[in-house]
Amino acid sequence: MIDTAREGPILIAGLSGRIDGTNARQVQTELESALGDDDRRLLLDFADLSYISSAGLRVVLLVARQLDQKGGQLAVCSLSESISEIFKISGFDKISLIYKSPSPRHRNRCR
């Protein structure tokens, strides 16, 4: 469900499928396990994510808070139109950076 890669100091976590009440806790555990003590920047790549529920949004919020407590930052990228709409409606577009792509060459801020 989660594939990780490093780009310098940034941990990129690619999420796929759905994040909902049935697997949100597992996703949270996997993300927390992937983050090392020294990690301060996490980019969640939603290119292969088809759906996120309120339980999934809660995971994003909890991970963002953990990073914030360490002086870090969470960003997301590659949001589908429907997930982008969910982020806007829920206000998540105001609490996290949103990029079009995970690639540094194409990582243009959406907001």
Side-chain angles (χ1 to χ4, degrees):
M1 175 175 291
I2 298 176
D3 291 319
T4 59
R6 290 209 177 269
E7 182 184 290
I10 302 171
L11 177 64
I12 301 173
L15 304 171
S16 62
R18 300 171 53 95
I19 303 175
D20 55 30
T22 63
N23 64 357
R25 183 69 181 133
Q26 176 187 353
V27 171
Q28 181 180 349
T29 300
E30 288 183 34
L31 286 173
E32 289 171 347
S33 294
L35 283 169
D37 291 338
D38 294 333
D39 285 321
R40 301 283 184 271
R41 297 170 70 189
L42 174 63
L43 177 64
L44 298 178
D45 184 352
F46 285 3
D48 295 324
L49 191 70
S50 60
Y51 177 78
I52 188 166
S53 71
S54 59
L57 291 175
R58 182 176 183 276
V59 169
V60 173
L61 181 61
L62 291 173
V63 171
R65 284 184 180 165
Q66 289 173 1
L67 286 167
D68 188 54
Q69 290 172 351
K70 296 188 324 185
Q73 185 174 37
L74 173 81
V76 296
C77 70
S78 307
L79 278 68
S80 67
E81 194 172 311
S82 61
I83 292 175
S84 180
E85 187 67 24
I86 290 169
F87 265 64
K88 287 176 187 172
I89 290 169
S90 64
F92 272 67
D93 63 330
K94 306 231 182 331
I95 63 169
S96 66
L97 296 173
I98 300 175
Y99 295 103
K100 292 181 182 178
S101 165
S103 167
R105 238 181 292 158
H106 302 104
R107 195 178 296 146
N108 300 317
R109 283 184 66 175
C110 290
R111 56 165 219 153

Short mmCIF file of all heavy atoms in Angstrom, two decimals, residues 9 16 18 22 35 68 87 103:
data_model
loop_
_atom_site.label_atom_id
_atom_site.label_comp_id
_atom_site.label_asym_id
_atom_site.label_seq_id
_atom_site.Cartn_x
_atom_site.Cartn_y
_atom_site.Cartn_z
N PRO A 9 16.80 15.11 1.56
CA PRO A 9 16.23 15.07 2.91
C PRO A 9 14.73 14.78 2.96
O PRO A 9 14.12 14.75 4.02
CB PRO A 9 16.50 16.48 3.45
CG PRO A 9 16.44 17.34 2.22
CD PRO A 9 17.04 16.49 1.11
N SER A 16 -1.38 4.07 -2.44
CA SER A 16 -2.20 3.54 -3.52
C SER A 16 -3.50 2.96 -2.99
O SER A 16 -3.61 2.63 -1.81
CB SER A 16 -1.42 2.47 -4.30
OG SER A 16 -1.10 1.40 -3.46
N ARG A 18 -7.12 2.81 -1.65
CA ARG A 18 -8.04 3.61 -0.83
C ARG A 18 -7.50 3.73 0.59
O ARG A 18 -6.88 2.80 1.08
CB ARG A 18 -9.40 2.92 -0.75
CG ARG A 18 -10.10 2.71 -2.06
CD ARG A 18 -11.34 1.83 -1.91
NE ARG A 18 -12.27 2.28 -0.91
CZ ARG A 18 -13.34 3.04 -1.13
NH1 ARG A 18 -13.60 3.43 -2.36
NH2 ARG A 18 -14.14 3.39 -0.16
N THR A 22 -11.28 1.07 7.12
CA THR A 22 -10.81 -0.31 7.21
C THR A 22 -9.29 -0.44 7.27
O THR A 22 -8.78 -1.44 7.76
CB THR A 22 -11.33 -1.17 6.03
OG1 THR A 22 -10.79 -0.65 4.81
CG2 THR A 22 -12.85 -1.18 5.99
N LEU A 35 9.04 6.86 8.77
CA LEU A 35 9.70 8.09 9.20
C LEU A 35 10.78 7.79 10.23
O LEU A 35 10.51 7.22 11.28
CB LEU A 35 8.69 9.06 9.81
CG LEU A 35 7.80 9.83 8.85
CD1 LEU A 35 6.69 10.52 9.60
CD2 LEU A 35 8.61 10.83 8.04
N ASP A 68 5.30 18.45 12.53
CA ASP A 68 5.32 19.82 13.03
C ASP A 68 5.99 19.89 14.40
O ASP A 68 6.76 20.81 14.68
CB ASP A 68 3.89 20.37 13.10
CG ASP A 68 3.87 21.84 13.44
OD1 ASP A 68 4.53 22.63 12.74
OD2 ASP A 68 3.18 22.21 14.42
N PHE A 87 -9.85 17.77 -0.19
CA PHE A 87 -8.89 18.60 0.53
C PHE A 87 -9.40 20.03 0.67
O PHE A 87 -9.24 20.65 1.72
CB PHE A 87 -7.52 18.56 -0.15
CG PHE A 87 -6.59 17.54 0.43
CD1 PHE A 87 -6.88 16.19 0.35
CD2 PHE A 87 -5.43 17.91 1.07
CE1 PHE A 87 -6.04 15.23 0.88
CE2 PHE A 87 -4.58 16.97 1.61
CZ PHE A 87 -4.88 15.62 1.52
N SER A 103 8.16 15.07 -8.62
CA SER A 103 9.45 15.37 -9.24
C SER A 103 9.89 16.80 -8.91
O SER A 103 9.11 17.74 -9.07
CB SER A 103 9.34 15.21 -10.75
OG SER A 103 10.47 15.76 -11.38
#
